[in-house]
Amino acid sequence: MSSADILTIKNLEKVYETDSEKLTVLKGLNLTVEEGAKIAVVGESGSGKSTLLNIIAGIDSVTSGTVVAGTKKTGEWDVTNLTEAKMAEYRSHFIGLIFQFHYLLKDFTALENVYMPALIAGMQKKEAMERAAGLLADVGVADRADHLPSQLSGGERQRVAAARALINDPTLILADEPTGNLDPANAQKIGELLFSMADKYKKTLILVTHDMNLAANGDKQLRIVEGRLK
C-alpha cells in the first residue's frame, strides 16, 4: 500500500458451496482505494456488491486473496487474518457501517442509538451524548433525538443510522444500498447527505447501490461484472 492508499484488495475470491452446487461470487477481484475517495460500486442483483462490502467490513470471510485496510497513521489491519479482538477493534474504530435497513434498536431513542457504539468503544457517556447530539444536528434530525425508531420516518431513520456510523470517528464509511428502502425523494436526500457528510468529516466512502443517479455522486463508479470490478 502507498501512503495515500487506505484499502488494498488483491486477487479476492469468494465461493459459496453447498452439497449440490458451488457458486463463485467474486473472482480475481482487485481494488485500491485512496484516502478521502468516494467510490460507488454498482452491478446487477446477485453480482456480489454486498458480499464485497461485507468482506471489507469483516462480516464475511474470503475464500482466497487479501484485504488490507488502514494507514501507518491509523494502523493497518490484514482483514483476512484478524483475531477476534483485533476484528472488534477494526470494526469499532476504523469503519462505520450503514445498511439498507437501519438496524436501530427499537427500545432506544435516536440519541441513544447514536451514542451506544461510542459507549461500547469506551467513550465517557457525557462526551458520547454531546457528540451524538451534534451529529444528529448535522444530519438534520436534532428535533427527533428523543423519539423512538417507530416514531421516525424512513428517511429520518437512515439519517440517524448515518449519524451512528460517524460516532466513533471512523476512517472508512461503508454504505450498502443505503437508499434501497426509501421513496425517490428521500433516497435523493439521503444520498446527497452521505456524500456531503463524507466531505465534511473527511471520510473515505465506499457505497454499494443499484441507483445510477446516486452512484454518479461518487468520484469513481465501479461495476462488478462476472466477479471482477470494471
Side-chain angles (χ1 to χ4, degrees):
M1 293 175 68
S2 77
S3 59
D5 294 338
I6 204 164
L7 179 70
T8 300
I9 298 174
K10 292 183 178 179
N11 301 317
L12 180 64
E13 182 168 319
K14 179 62 180 179
V15 179
Y16 292 101
E17 289 191 61
T18 66
D19 292 337
S20 59
E21 68 175 331
K22 179 178 177 180
L23 178 64
T24 301
V25 180
L26 303 173
K27 184 178 182 181
L29 185 144
N30 295 289
L31 175 64
T32 301
V33 179
E34 290 187 357
E35 192 168 9
K38 290 175 285 294
I39 293 174
V41 179
V42 300
E44 295 180 0
S45 180
S47 62
K49 303 187 301 297
S50 294
T51 299
L52 173 61
L53 222 61
N54 286 340
I55 286 172
I56 297 170
I59 295 170
D60 205 347
S61 60
V62 306
T63 303
S64 62
T66 59
V67 179
V68 179
T71 64
K72 289 181 179 178
K73 181 180 178 182
T74 64
E76 288 189 359
W77 287 269
D78 177 356
V79 183
T80 51
N81 288 294
L82 292 180
T83 64
E84 192 172 321
K86 282 293 184 181
M87 182 64 80
E89 178 186 297
Y90 170 70
R91 288 180 186 149
S92 65
H93 294 288
F94 186 75
I95 59 173
L97 291 165
I98 305 169
F99 297 99
Q100 181 172 351
F101 186 70
H102 54 79
Y103 291 113
L104 299 178
L105 300 171
K106 65 184 181 66
D107 296 324
F108 291 85
T109 65
L111 183 69
E112 290 167 336
N113 266 284
V114 174
Y115 73 64
M116 195 74 66
L119 291 184
I120 293 170
M123 190 180 294
Q124 293 298 310
K125 186 173 182 179
K126 183 175 184 294
E127 181 184 354
M129 290 178 69
E130 289 174 352
R131 180 166 173 76
L135 286 168
L136 286 174
D138 278 352
V139 300
V141 287
D143 60 334
R144 312 296 278 169
D146 295 328
H147 289 66
L148 297 172
S150 61
Q151 299 169 314
L152 303 175
S153 69
E156 288 170 340
R157 290 171 191 156
Q158 281 301 70
R159 289 174 183 270
V160 174
R164 180 183 58 190
L166 289 162
I167 189 68
N168 284 335
D169 195 26
T171 302
L172 175 63
I173 301 291
L174 302 175
D176 187 3
E177 295 282 8
T179 63
N181 282 334
L182 303 176
D183 61 83
N186 266 313
Q188 181 177 350
K189 290 177 183 176
I190 295 299
E192 291 172 352
L193 172 71
L194 289 177
F195 283 99
S196 67
M197 293 295 281
D199 279 335
K200 177 174 181 177
Y201 286 98
K202 296 179 173 56
K203 303 301 180 187
T204 306
L205 173 67
I206 302 176
L207 180 143
V208 159
T209 183
H210 65 276
D211 184 341
M212 295 307 296
N213 290 326
L214 176 57
N217 290 292
D219 303 328
K220 184 186 293 185
Q221 295 77 38
L222 299 173
R223 179 178 292 276
I224 294 185
V225 180
E226 297 179 350
R228 294 181 172 89
L229 286 169
K230 304 289 185 180

